[in-house]
């Protein structure tokens, strides 16, 4: 019954390690993980869940925010390779 919005910034990896591996010329896929579908979990628990992995899906999530009736979770997919290099 909570009226809240949760956004999971999901790069499907251990992001800091991904950046460090890539910066050192190592294989960054070692940091990738098979995370659960957080949007499906939110829906199964009685809330609304949206997986945002495209521009169209983002539009659906925004509409879902406007029309929500309770808790909503947005699983926002990010590209772990699209991060700035570490400051050393």
């Amino acid at each position: 019954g909570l009226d809240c919005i949760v956004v999971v910034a999901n790069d499907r990896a251990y992001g800091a390690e991904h950046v460090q591996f890539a910066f050192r010329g190592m294989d960054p896929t070692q940091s990738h993980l098979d995370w659960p579908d957080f949007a499906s979990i939110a829906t199964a628990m009685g809330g609304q869940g949206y997986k945002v992995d495209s521009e169209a899906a983002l539009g659906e999530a925004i509409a879902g925010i406007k029309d929500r009736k309770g808790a909503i979770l947005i699983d926002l997919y990010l590209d772990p390779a699209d991060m700035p290099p570490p400051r050393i």
Side-chain angles (χ1 to χ4, degrees), residues 17-31:
E17 285 73 16
H18 181 95
V19 171
Q20 291 292 333
F21 283 143
F23 181 72
R24 290 177 170 74
M26 298 168 68
D27 180 10
T29 60
Q30 297 176 57
S31 68

Side-chain angles (χ1 to χ4, degrees), residues 13-79:
Y14 284 123
E17 285 73 16
H18 181 95
V19 171
Q20 291 292 333
F21 283 143
F23 181 72
R24 290 177 170 74
M26 298 168 68
D27 180 10
T29 60
Q30 297 176 57
S31 68
H32 295 188
L33 299 170
D34 189 20
W35 293 106
D37 182 344
F38 294 113
S40 293
I41 292 170
T43 301
M45 295 180 72
Q48 292 173 268
Y50 293 90
K51 178 170 78 171
V52 176
D53 59 358
S54 68
E55 197 169 325
L58 177 59
E60 292 173 17
I62 290 170
I65 290 171
K66 293 177 184 174
D67 297 334
R68 76 183 182 280
K69 293 176 178 54
I72 184 171
L73 180 137
I74 299 171
D75 191 3
L76 179 62
Y77 278 31
L78 304 173
D79 183 351

